[in-house]
Amino acid sequence: MSIKENIKAILPDFILNIIRSLRSSYQKVALLTKYNIIIPLIHKHSLAKIRNKKAIKCVFLALDENIWKYEGLYHLMRKDSHFEPIILVCPIVNYGKDNMIYKMNNCYNYFKNNGYNVVLSYNQTSDTYVDLRKDLNPDIIFYTNPYKGLIDDRYYVDKFPDILSAYVPYSSQESIPSTAGYNLDSHNRFWRCYAVSPYHKGYSKKWAFNKGKNVVVSGYPQIESFINKDYIPSTDCWKELDSVKKRIIWAPHHTLEAAGVVNYSTFLKYADFMLDMAAKYKEKVQWVFKPHPHLYNKLLLLWGRDKTEEYYRQWKDMDNTSFVDSGYIDLFLTSDAMIHDSGSFVVEYLYVNKPVLRPTNGIPFHSLYNEYGLECLDNYYLAESENDIEQFIQMIIAEEDPLKEKRSAFIQAKLLPKGSKTPSQIILDDILSHIQK
């Protein structure tokens, strides 16, 4: 036996419990000190170093174009001489190297093809990575995801304590509050966390070690394209057909596991049925299959490659169906309706004010969604069965929408920005207010 094991064997349980309690208390005090005193002091020093610089270099760490919420902010910075924005496409490492390279190349091509100032962090030929600090020398780093273990560790926020960091949530944060949503190490380290609503700032105050002192309510930047009346969406995401059909999106979530805080998925229950519906109504409806980006990898583990690829192939190959794995702004705006069990889409699709159906999985909504999400779902059509889904499809074909008036009133009262500033402008103004003091 080791010395530690010998001591544990000798001491009575109540003494061991006291020691464990003291250790836990010490660890909590250490975290509170770090997040509430040490890190804010470092931020203050970092801010002083860049204050009144001619141009602030802002590096956005992009992982996937589907969760890119900085569109408006990036373009505002491009027009403002105070800022020099650049995008660094970073690796997602938790699904293997082949998936990492595939995702990075897709993401890089999206930004490159759309005229962004973008750099790829990984060179496949030399097997080397961009050194963020030395090669790009950022003044502020913007994160698109808060999770350690998803992004390569060399780019995680704890590697840059002396560089200001900011975070805009990759989703509308509709799920029930949890540590993962509001009290990760990153949430407490970021110089700024921009919140979707006052609800969400309240959750940070309750859950975070730093009591949400770094949280600023900006609104959700993703909505800006949905409400921009001058924006003209492309229909390239839909197959070109000989006749006009109703356009319905099916967007299943990736949470196939029957555990965890988030368990939205109804995919396994309705996967085959949705293909049947696409075939049955092929003369009336065209479909886009828009799964969560993680669903494919989850299905590889559950179904294997052959079955997974065959399922996706069917959505790609039918005359009236398409598969979309990139951005969804144009997709939403050019659709007639959506069926989904996703997370962020609970809020986002309401902005286009079109009929939307949420299939249920038997788990009460109040155990999955916060107040914000529940208010949104109150304006949804719900489906507990295949028959309910088919009735919704028939309703769309018949151009009926009984919830239209109620949904429109909710959007006006609760979702649309109240002032003249967009969320991106609020974020930009907040940053400027600190760097120009």
Side-chain angles (χ1 to χ4, degrees):
M1 292 177 67
S2 67
I3 295 175
K4 183 177 180 180
E5 289 172 334
N6 281 322
I7 292 173
K8 289 176 70 174
I10 295 170
L11 292 176
D13 287 345
F14 81 92
I15 295 294
L16 291 174
N17 289 335
I18 291 173
I19 292 171
R20 292 187 189 105
S21 178
L22 289 172
R23 183 189 298 132
S24 177
S25 296
Y26 170 77
Q27 290 171 342
K28 185 173 183 180
V29 168
L31 286 173
L32 289 171
T33 302
K34 178 173 73 173
Y35 294 138
N36 289 279
I37 298 175
I38 297 173
I39 287 177
L41 284 174
I42 295 172
H43 288 162
K44 185 176 181 181
H45 178 70
S46 301
L47 197 56
K49 285 198 303 182
I50 68 169
R51 189 167 287 140
N52 296 319
K53 276 188 68 175
K54 185 177 180 180
I56 304 298
K57 181 177 280 190
C58 298
V59 177
F60 296 83
L61 305 188
L63 299 174
D64 188 318
E65 69 273 19
N66 284 288
I67 58 170
W68 171 251
K69 311 302 181 186
Y70 289 108
E71 183 91 2
L73 182 62
Y74 175 88
H75 288 298
L76 285 175
M77 286 184 170
R78 284 287 294 264
K79 298 174 185 175
D80 192 317
S81 61
H82 293 100
F83 297 99
E84 183 185 340
I86 184 170
I87 296 170
L88 180 67
V89 174
C90 294
I92 296 175
V93 298
N94 61 342
Y95 287 111
K97 193 165 185 178
D98 288 346
N99 180 76
M100 178 192 93
I101 293 170
Y102 171 78
K103 286 287 189 182
M104 289 183 71
N105 288 336
N106 275 4
C107 189
Y108 176 79
N109 290 335
Y110 169 81
F111 288 114
K112 192 70 177 176
N113 293 338
N114 284 281
Y116 288 86
N117 182 16
V118 61
V119 173
L120 190 60
S121 66
Y122 176 67
N123 185 310
Q124 192 173 353
T125 304
S126 61
D127 191 28
T128 57
Y129 291 84
V130 167
D131 187 317
L132 177 54
R133 185 185 294 275
K134 292 181 180 179
D135 296 335
L136 297 182
N137 190 27
D139 297 307
I140 306 176
I141 303 171
F142 288 85
Y143 285 82
T144 54
N145 200 294
Y147 304 119
K148 190 176 181 66
L150 181 67
I151 193 172
D152 188 291
D153 272 354
R154 75 191 72 221
Y155 300 120
Y156 188 66
V157 64
D158 64 353
K159 300 297 187 293
F160 311 101
D162 57 324
I163 299 175
L164 295 176
S165 55
Y167 173 59
V168 167
Y170 65 89
S171 76
S172 56
Q173 292 192 295
E174 75 300 323
S175 61
I176 196 163
S178 66
T179 293
Y182 301 93
N183 196 32
L184 296 177
D185 175 60
S186 56
H187 293 126
N188 291 280
R189 284 182 179 273
F190 291 135
W191 168 60
R192 277 289 184 273
C193 287
Y194 291 101
V196 172
S197 76
Y199 278 135
H200 299 87
K201 182 173 176 64
Y203 299 145
S204 292
K205 285 182 177 179
K206 179 178 179 180
W207 283 83
F209 280 124
N210 67 5
K211 301 301 179 186
K213 293 174 185 175
N214 59 341
V215 175
V216 174
V217 177
S218 62
Y220 189 39
Q222 181 71 354
I223 69 161
E224 292 166 16
S225 293
F226 295 137
I227 62 177
N228 180 1
K229 291 181 172 55
D230 295 325
Y231 181 71
I232 301 174
S234 168
T235 58
D236 290 347
C237 43
W238 302 91
K239 281 183 177 174
E240 189 172 340
L241 303 176
D242 293 334
S243 60
V244 176
K245 305 181 193 300
K246 292 300 180 184
R247 293 169 170 173
I248 302 178
I249 306 163
W250 182 40
H253 202 244
H254 69 90
T255 47
L256 305 177
E257 308 89 343
V261 174
V262 176
N263 189 15
Y264 295 149
S265 181
T266 58
F267 175 79
L268 296 176
K269 182 179 180 180
Y270 294 118
D272 292 335
F273 173 74
M274 294 303 291
L275 283 172
D276 292 342
M277 290 295 96
K280 181 175 181 177
Y281 291 98
K282 64 182 180 180
E283 301 302 325
K284 300 285 186 180
V285 179
Q286 71 173 128
W287 295 80
V288 159
F289 177 50
K290 178 68 176 76
H292 189 285
H294 293 337
L295 180 62
Y296 180 81
N297 289 300
K298 296 283 186 74
L299 288 175
L300 288 179
L301 297 173
L302 182 66
W303 282 356
R305 184 169 299 277
D306 289 346
K307 183 176 179 179
T308 300
E309 292 188 350
E310 171 60 17
Y311 187 82
Y312 276 61
R313 184 198 62 76
Q314 290 181 76
W315 283 104
K316 295 174 185 177
D317 290 353
M318 284 192 286
D319 291 340
N320 64 321
T321 65
S322 305
F323 164 67
V324 171
D325 64 349
S326 56
Y328 53 88
I329 299 293
D330 290 353
L331 180 65
F332 281 18
L333 289 169
T334 56
S335 67
D336 293 302
M338 181 158 75
I339 299 169
H340 79 87
D341 54 18
S342 186
S344 189
F345 290 175
V346 164
V347 180
E348 292 177 53
Y349 196 73
L350 285 177
Y351 280 95
V352 300
N353 198 6
K354 296 173 183 179
V356 55
L357 178 77
R358 173 52 159 100
T360 61
N361 60 8
I363 299 175
F365 282 164
H366 65 78
S367 66
L368 294 173
Y369 297 100
N370 57 33
E371 297 98 315
Y372 185 61
L374 291 172
E375 285 189 1
C376 290
L377 283 164
D378 193 43
N379 295 274
Y380 268 58
Y381 299 96
L382 303 178
E384 296 180 355
S385 66
E386 293 178 354
N387 184 59
D388 291 341
I389 294 175
E390 186 164 10
Q391 285 183 1
F392 178 78
I393 296 168
Q394 292 170 348
M395 185 188 81
I396 300 306
I397 294 170
E399 298 186 344
E400 297 171 355
D401 186 6
L403 288 179
K404 175 77 172 182
E405 186 175 341
K406 177 186 177 184
R407 189 176 62 244
S408 300
F410 173 76
I411 294 167
Q412 187 65 42
K414 295 295 184 75
L415 295 185
L416 293 177
K418 296 299 182 286
S420 59
K421 290 185 179 180
T422 64
S424 293
Q425 187 65 57
I426 291 171
I427 294 170
L428 188 77
D429 289 349
D430 177 63
I431 296 169
L432 283 170
S433 72
H434 287 83
I435 65 175
Q436 292 183 324
K437 282 184 178 178

